[in-house]
PDB file of all heavy atoms in Angstrom:
ATOM      1  N   ILE A  86     -24.680 -54.343  -7.626  1.00 93.00           N
ATOM      2  CA  ILE A  86     -23.305 -54.008  -7.291  1.00 93.00           C
ATOM      3  C   ILE A  86     -22.658 -55.125  -6.449  1.00 93.00           C
ATOM      4  O   ILE A  86     -23.346 -55.700  -5.577  1.00 93.00           O
ATOM      5  CB  ILE A  86     -23.289 -52.624  -6.548  1.00 93.00           C
ATOM      6  CG1 ILE A  86     -21.786 -52.112  -6.460  1.00 93.00           C
ATOM      7  CG2 ILE A  86     -23.945 -52.659  -5.202  1.00 93.00           C
ATOM      8  CD1 ILE A  86     -21.658 -50.664  -6.020  1.00 93.00           C
ATOM      9  N   THR A  87     -21.436 -55.396  -6.693  1.00 93.00           N
ATOM     10  CA  THR A  87     -20.722 -56.449  -5.904  1.00 93.00           C
ATOM     11  C   THR A  87     -20.256 -55.887  -4.568  1.00 93.00           C
ATOM     12  O   THR A  87     -20.296 -54.675  -4.307  1.00 93.00           O
ATOM     13  CB  THR A  87     -19.531 -56.934  -6.667  1.00 93.00           C
ATOM     14  OG1 THR A  87     -18.590 -55.906  -6.889  1.00 93.00           O
ATOM     15  CG2 THR A  87     -19.985 -57.502  -8.068  1.00 93.00           C
ATOM     16  N   LYS A  88     -19.782 -56.758  -3.732  1.00 92.00           N
ATOM     17  CA  LYS A  88     -19.207 -56.353  -2.466  1.00 92.00           C
ATOM     18  C   LYS A  88     -17.995 -55.425  -2.688  1.00 92.00           C
ATOM     19  O   LYS A  88     -17.782 -54.403  -2.032  1.00 92.00           O
ATOM     20  CB  LYS A  88     -18.807 -57.540  -1.638  1.00 92.00           C
ATOM     21  CG  LYS A  88     -18.270 -57.208  -0.234  1.00 92.00           C
ATOM     22  CD  LYS A  88     -17.948 -58.467   0.546  1.00 92.00           C
ATOM     23  CE  LYS A  88     -17.434 -58.059   1.955  1.00 92.00           C
ATOM     24  NZ  LYS A  88     -17.141 -59.286   2.763  1.00 92.00           N
ATOM     25  N   ALA A  89     -17.150 -55.816  -3.672  1.00 92.00           N
ATOM     26  CA  ALA A  89     -15.990 -54.993  -4.034  1.00 92.00           C
ATOM     27  C   ALA A  89     -16.493 -53.623  -4.531  1.00 92.00           C
ATOM     28  O   ALA A  89     -15.872 -52.553  -4.184  1.00 92.00           O
ATOM     29  CB  ALA A  89     -15.135 -55.690  -5.050  1.00 92.00           C
ATOM     30  N   GLY A  90     -17.504 -53.637  -5.383  1.00 91.00           N
ATOM     31  CA  GLY A  90     -18.038 -52.368  -5.878  1.00 91.00           C
ATOM     32  C   GLY A  90     -18.507 -51.493  -4.768  1.00 91.00           C
ATOM     33  O   GLY A  90     -18.324 -50.278  -4.784  1.00 91.00           O
ATOM     34  N   THR A  91     -19.229 -52.081  -3.792  1.00 92.00           N
ATOM     35  CA  THR A  91     -19.724 -51.305  -2.660  1.00 92.00           C
ATOM     36  C   THR A  91     -18.597 -50.665  -1.862  1.00 92.00           C
ATOM     37  O   THR A  91     -18.661 -49.481  -1.462  1.00 92.00           O
ATOM     38  CB  THR A  91     -20.501 -52.235  -1.740  1.00 92.00           C
ATOM     39  OG1 THR A  91     -21.667 -52.783  -2.441  1.00 92.00           O
ATOM     40  CG2 THR A  91     -21.147 -51.468  -0.594  1.00 92.00           C
ATOM     41  N   LEU A  92     -17.498 -51.427  -1.640  1.00 92.00           N
ATOM     42  CA  LEU A  92     -16.376 -50.909  -0.929  1.00 92.00           C
ATOM     43  C   LEU A  92     -15.697 -49.751  -1.694  1.00 92.00           C
ATOM     44  O   LEU A  92     -15.199 -48.786  -1.115  1.00 92.00           O
ATOM     45  CB  LEU A  92     -15.351 -52.020  -0.638  1.00 92.00           C
ATOM     46  CG  LEU A  92     -15.820 -53.121   0.336  1.00 92.00           C
ATOM     47  CD1 LEU A  92     -14.843 -54.284   0.379  1.00 92.00           C
ATOM     48  CD2 LEU A  92     -16.059 -52.512   1.744  1.00 92.00           C
ATOM     49  N   LEU A  93     -15.662 -49.861  -2.995  1.00 93.00           N
ATOM     50  CA  LEU A  93     -15.006 -48.841  -3.794  1.00 93.00           C
ATOM     51  C   LEU A  93     -15.924 -47.614  -4.109  1.00 93.00           C
ATOM     52  O   LEU A  93     -15.402 -46.530  -4.472  1.00 93.00           O
ATOM     53  CB  LEU A  93     -14.555 -49.424  -5.126  1.00 93.00           C
ATOM     54  CG  LEU A  93     -13.377 -50.452  -5.056  1.00 93.00           C
ATOM     55  CD1 LEU A  93     -13.106 -51.055  -6.394  1.00 93.00           C
ATOM     56  CD2 LEU A  93     -12.102 -49.761  -4.559  1.00 93.00           C
ATOM     57  N   LEU A  94     -17.196 -47.773  -3.937  1.00 93.00           N
ATOM     58  CA  LEU A  94     -18.085 -46.672  -4.324  1.00 93.00           C
ATOM     59  C   LEU A  94     -17.822 -45.377  -3.413  1.00 93.00           C
ATOM     60  O   LEU A  94     -17.893 -44.283  -3.956  1.00 93.00           O
ATOM     61  CB  LEU A  94     -19.549 -47.132  -4.169  1.00 93.00           C
ATOM     62  CG  LEU A  94     -20.605 -46.103  -4.582  1.00 93.00           C
ATOM     63  CD1 LEU A  94     -20.473 -45.681  -6.019  1.00 93.00           C
ATOM     64  CD2 LEU A  94     -22.019 -46.692  -4.345  1.00 93.00           C
ATOM     65  N   ALA A  95     -17.632 -45.582  -2.161  1.00 90.00           N
ATOM     66  CA  ALA A  95     -17.364 -44.482  -1.281  1.00 90.00           C
ATOM     67  C   ALA A  95     -16.107 -43.745  -1.698  1.00 90.00           C
ATOM     68  O   ALA A  95     -16.042 -42.464  -1.751  1.00 90.00           O
ATOM     69  CB  ALA A  95     -17.259 -44.916   0.150  1.00 90.00           C
ATOM     70  N   GLU A  96     -15.035 -44.436  -2.051  1.00 90.00           N
ATOM     71  CA  GLU A  96     -13.842 -43.868  -2.519  1.00 90.00           C
ATOM     72  C   GLU A  96     -14.054 -43.125  -3.826  1.00 90.00           C
ATOM     73  O   GLU A  96     -13.531 -41.999  -4.043  1.00 90.00           O
ATOM     74  CB  GLU A  96     -12.737 -44.918  -2.795  1.00 90.00           C
ATOM     75  CG  GLU A  96     -12.335 -45.687  -1.523  1.00 90.00           C
ATOM     76  CD  GLU A  96     -11.217 -44.969  -0.760  1.00 90.00           C
ATOM     77  OE1 GLU A  96     -10.756 -43.948  -1.210  1.00 90.00           O
ATOM     78  OE2 GLU A  96     -10.837 -45.437   0.296  1.00 90.00           O
ATOM     79  N   ALA A  97     -14.844 -43.718  -4.727  1.00 92.00           N
ATOM     80  CA  ALA A  97     -15.128 -43.065  -5.987  1.00 92.00           C
ATOM     81  C   ALA A  97     -15.875 -41.748  -5.792  1.00 92.00           C
ATOM     82  O   ALA A  97     -15.578 -40.708  -6.460  1.00 92.00           O
ATOM     83  CB  ALA A  97     -15.949 -44.007  -6.869  1.00 92.00           C
ATOM     84  N   ARG A  98     -16.886 -41.776  -4.887  1.00 90.00           N
ATOM     85  CA  ARG A  98     -17.619 -40.544  -4.684  1.00 90.00           C
ATOM     86  C   ARG A  98     -16.742 -39.434  -4.046  1.00 90.00           C
ATOM     87  O   ARG A  98     -16.879 -38.307  -4.385  1.00 90.00           O
ATOM     88  CB  ARG A  98     -18.768 -40.851  -3.725  1.00 90.00           C
ATOM     89  CG  ARG A  98     -19.934 -41.569  -4.405  1.00 90.00           C
ATOM     90  CD  ARG A  98     -20.962 -42.071  -3.454  1.00 90.00           C
ATOM     91  NE  ARG A  98     -22.165 -42.606  -4.098  1.00 90.00           N
ATOM     92  CZ  ARG A  98     -23.031 -43.412  -3.521  1.00 90.00           C
ATOM     93  NH1 ARG A  98     -22.830 -43.844  -2.282  1.00 90.00           N
ATOM     94  NH2 ARG A  98     -24.051 -43.810  -4.244  1.00 90.00           N
ATOM     95  N   GLU A  99     -15.787 -39.857  -3.208  1.00 89.00           N
ATOM     96  CA  GLU A  99     -14.853 -38.868  -2.606  1.00 89.00           C
ATOM     97  C   GLU A  99     -13.955 -38.232  -3.671  1.00 89.00           C
ATOM     98  O   GLU A  99     -13.726 -37.063  -3.698  1.00 89.00           O
ATOM     99  CB  GLU A  99     -14.041 -39.558  -1.540  1.00 89.00           C
ATOM    100  CG  GLU A  99     -13.117 -38.583  -0.790  1.00 89.00           C
ATOM    101  CD  GLU A  99     -12.343 -39.205   0.372  1.00 89.00           C
ATOM    102  OE1 GLU A  99     -12.727 -40.332   0.710  1.00 89.00           O
ATOM    103  OE2 GLU A  99     -11.376 -38.597   0.841  1.00 89.00           O
TER     104      GLU A  99
END
Side-chain angles (χ1 to χ4, degrees):
I86 192 167
T87 64
K88 183 176 180 180
T91 300
L92 293 174
L93 290 174
L94 183 59
E96 297 273 358
R98 285 170 171 159
E99 185 176 346

